[in-house]
Amino acid sequence: MSQPALLGGTPAVTAALPPWPLVDAEALAEITRVITEETLCPVGAEGTQGDFERAFAALHGRKFALAVNGGTAALMLALHGAGVQPGDEVICSPFTWGASVSCVLQNLAIPIFADIDRNTFTLDPASIEAKITPRTKAIVVVHIFGFPADMTRIMEVAKRHNLAVIEDCAQAHGGKHAGRLVGSWGTVGAFSLQASKNLTGGEGGILVCDDRVVYERAMSMGTHPQRLYAELELPEFREKIDSLAFNYRMHSMSAAMANVQLKYLEQWTLARGRNARDLYDQVRDLPFIEIPAELPETDRHAYYNIPFVYRPGIIPLSRTEFVEALKAEGVNAGIYVRVPLYLRPRFQNHDYFGRGYPWAIADEPVVYHKGDCPVAEAMAHVEFQVGGNYYVDSPELMAQVAAAMRKVGEQAPALRAYFDAPKASTSP
Ligand SMILES: Cc1ncc(COP(=O)(O)O)c(C=O)c1O
């Protein structure tokens, strides 16, 4: 048995991660062309940014796309576009990146948390329905880790209660539910194009939708008047054109890079799936980890990362120690959510804009309790993932990651002794 890297052994992973974000000759040539021949500051929808918007909308079978400077901006505008107003309740996931919920706060609306599904970490449609009140206006669904949420059932719930649905697709470009791409289901699909994402412009974001009112309202809140004059058709928005909006403009370099990448998204998504399944197959027998159950054939996980569940008590290591040992072996392992969002201080203390806003304008007092979302609370203790962008077939790397997991499992007693031993103080 080889020595764990934490105890001075050779790390199991020696193969390099595929380079990401990919700034190759094709991307560089296109970025150079766009910033020299087009513009550094695309205030309108012409040129490459417009091409990217049209291609992205077409890919998702949508009428409209609006490129912006980040996923956070796309979400904030998505909610505004969908008609969320101050004081409205919006149902959110507690198991996500903060921007999936800060977009609600930034619209002065009130986040209400529903629980997640144990297998996919995405919102549970039954829990959503249980949290709906007469004040509920929208649902923010997050396709977390690349798992597609159950959009069929979520859209049924939304239809029954006349709610807008915002899909946060920041981690799920290329993912599918029931044969349809994520981002093509809800009132609005919002994507991040930040550097770690499956499709990236280094920074950036984009939203897609079908309803002109939603599109124009979103555009009016985040876009330069020059574009508004060129594109707005509806009098209610045209008569208000001014320069009071947020500046959420995408940089032309982001548009150039993301537009190049879009050609490869399908091929990269398929490779991500092959790598994840390859890794899962190699570690299926390890009793201390659980692999997510297979999705229906018509669904497609986008594998922004490769998620696992740690089964505590089988080997003598906590999840945190297991992940630390994996990291020492060269695995890009991590824990995504340790505390569900509503149990964090800002939510417990209503501390966002100050003076208790936006909760201060809620019709009913809002208190977030431990136990509100029991599945999310339980999963926050056991989830871990293997990160990295595996967009090319990487059999050697997957074999090495699997070997690292096996090695840490086999060497758990020695690692236990290592974690229990008093550590030399690093302070003088
Ligand atoms: C689920 C989710 N939503 C939203 C965002 C925000 O995207 P951005 O960083 O582009 O603002 C992220 C970014 O990590 C994310 O993972």
Side-chain angles (χ1 to χ4, degrees):
M1 270 198 299
S2 54
Q3 181 86 331
L6 268 183
L7 307 186
T10 309
V13 178
T14 52
L17 259 67
W20 195 263
L22 184 63
V23 189
D24 59 2
E26 186 182 7
L28 281 175
E30 185 58 4
I31 291 167
T32 309
R33 187 193 68 75
V34 168
I35 62 174
T36 52
E37 293 176 18
E38 291 187 9
T39 176
L40 274 171
C41 174
V43 289
E46 63 288 326
T48 297
Q49 183 194 296
D51 293 344
F52 174 59
E53 287 178 343
R54 281 182 290 277
F56 203 81
L59 175 68
H60 293 86
R62 295 290 213 167
K63 289 194 187 129
F64 306 108
L66 181 66
V68 290
N69 59 15
T72 306
L75 282 164
M76 196 276 181
L77 291 186
L79 267 83
H80 181 71
V84 171
Q85 296 202 337
D88 287 341
E89 291 181 2
V90 178
I91 299 199
C92 298
S93 170
F95 205 94
T96 183
W97 183 253
S100 320
V101 180
S102 63
C103 58
V104 177
L105 301 172
Q106 288 156 5
N107 277 285
L108 291 172
I110 313 298
I112 302 292
F113 293 91
D115 212 346
I116 57 168
D117 174 80
R118 193 192 180 284
N119 191 52
T120 65
F121 300 88
T122 61
L123 277 179
D124 171 1
S127 179
I128 294 176
E129 193 145 29
K131 304 279 173 146
I132 292 172
T133 73
R135 298 174 294 282
T136 310
K137 178 76 191 188
I139 309 165
V140 179
V141 180
V142 189
H143 303 292
I144 196 79
F145 304 149
F147 269 116
D150 185 348
M151 293 310 296
T152 307
R153 287 180 59 209
I154 291 173
M155 294 309 290
E156 281 166 13
V157 172
K159 208 168 166 197
R160 259 200 302 284
H161 299 274
N162 194 25
L163 304 178
V165 175
I166 286 82
E167 293 180 74
D168 179 347
C169 309
Q171 301 190 1
H173 317 64
K176 288 185 180 173
H177 168 71
R180 256 172 71 185
L181 284 172
V182 301
S184 72
W185 289 84
T187 317
V188 191
F191 295 77
S192 165
L193 303 169
Q194 174 270 338
S196 72
K197 300 303 189 298
N198 287 4
L199 179 83
T200 178
E203 285 285 6
I206 188 162
L207 64 84
V208 288
C209 62
D210 290 322
D211 185 331
R212 178 161 278 282
V213 174
V214 172
Y215 175 62
E216 293 205 2
R217 197 189 287 119
M219 204 176 1
S220 300
M221 190 56 108
T223 310
H224 193 278
Q226 192 171 313
R227 179 165 182 176
L228 299 179
Y229 280 118
E231 277 196 59
L232 294 188
E233 287 178 5
L234 303 174
E236 65 177 297
F237 301 117
R238 263 204 92 79
E239 68 196 18
K240 285 192 296 199
I241 295 179
D242 55 29
S243 50
L244 291 173
F246 292 92
N247 173 10
Y248 284 161
R249 209 158 45 238
M250 176 181 258
H251 197 288
S252 53
M253 287 196 280
S254 306
M257 188 168 161
N259 200 33
V260 167
Q261 293 206 350
L262 199 53
K263 285 187 279 185
Y264 303 102
L265 179 62
E266 178 68 13
Q267 134 190 0
W268 288 345
T269 309
L270 293 174
R272 287 186 184 104
R274 282 193 296 272
N275 286 321
R277 284 189 294 277
D278 182 13
L279 175 58
Y280 282 154
D281 284 344
Q282 295 185 60
V283 296
R284 214 172 277 286
D285 62 313
L286 297 178
F288 50 87
I289 57 177
E290 188 180 317
I291 289 164
E294 288 275 330
L295 298 178
E297 260 190 24
T298 48
D299 280 16
R300 182 160 81 182
H301 197 309
Y303 291 108
Y304 172 62
N305 53 44
I306 307 178
F308 291 88
V309 167
Y310 185 67
R311 287 200 182 114
I314 307 227
I315 54 173
L317 296 177
S318 69
R319 171 184 62 163
T320 301
E321 290 163 345
F322 175 71
V323 167
E324 190 180 331
L326 280 184
K327 281 185 177 161
E329 297 297 339
V331 178
N332 190 17
I335 294 170
Y336 197 71
V337 171
R338 289 174 192 269
V339 181
L341 283 167
Y342 59 89
L343 293 178
R344 298 188 192 168
R346 275 177 182 266
F347 291 93
Q348 290 296 310
N349 304 329
H350 290 183
D351 177 10
Y352 194 68
F353 285 118
R355 297 195 173 144
Y357 283 79
W359 295 273
I361 55 171
D363 283 346
E364 300 283 327
V366 181
V367 184
Y368 304 110
H369 298 104
K370 197 165 171 40
D372 279 353
C373 301
V375 179
E377 289 178 24
M379 298 318 280
H381 290 291
V382 291
E383 167 274 329
F384 75 98
Q385 3 75 34
V386 172
N389 209 314
Y390 304 105
Y391 62 100
V392 287
D393 287 306
S394 311
E396 186 188 10
L397 198 47
M398 292 300 116
Q400 291 181 348
V401 172
M405 288 187 178
R406 197 168 294 280
K407 178 176 166 187
V408 170
E410 285 169 358
Q411 293 284 353
L415 285 160
R416 176 75 269 134
Y418 163 84
F419 283 115
D420 286 344
K423 303 281 180 295
S425 166
T426 49
S427 48

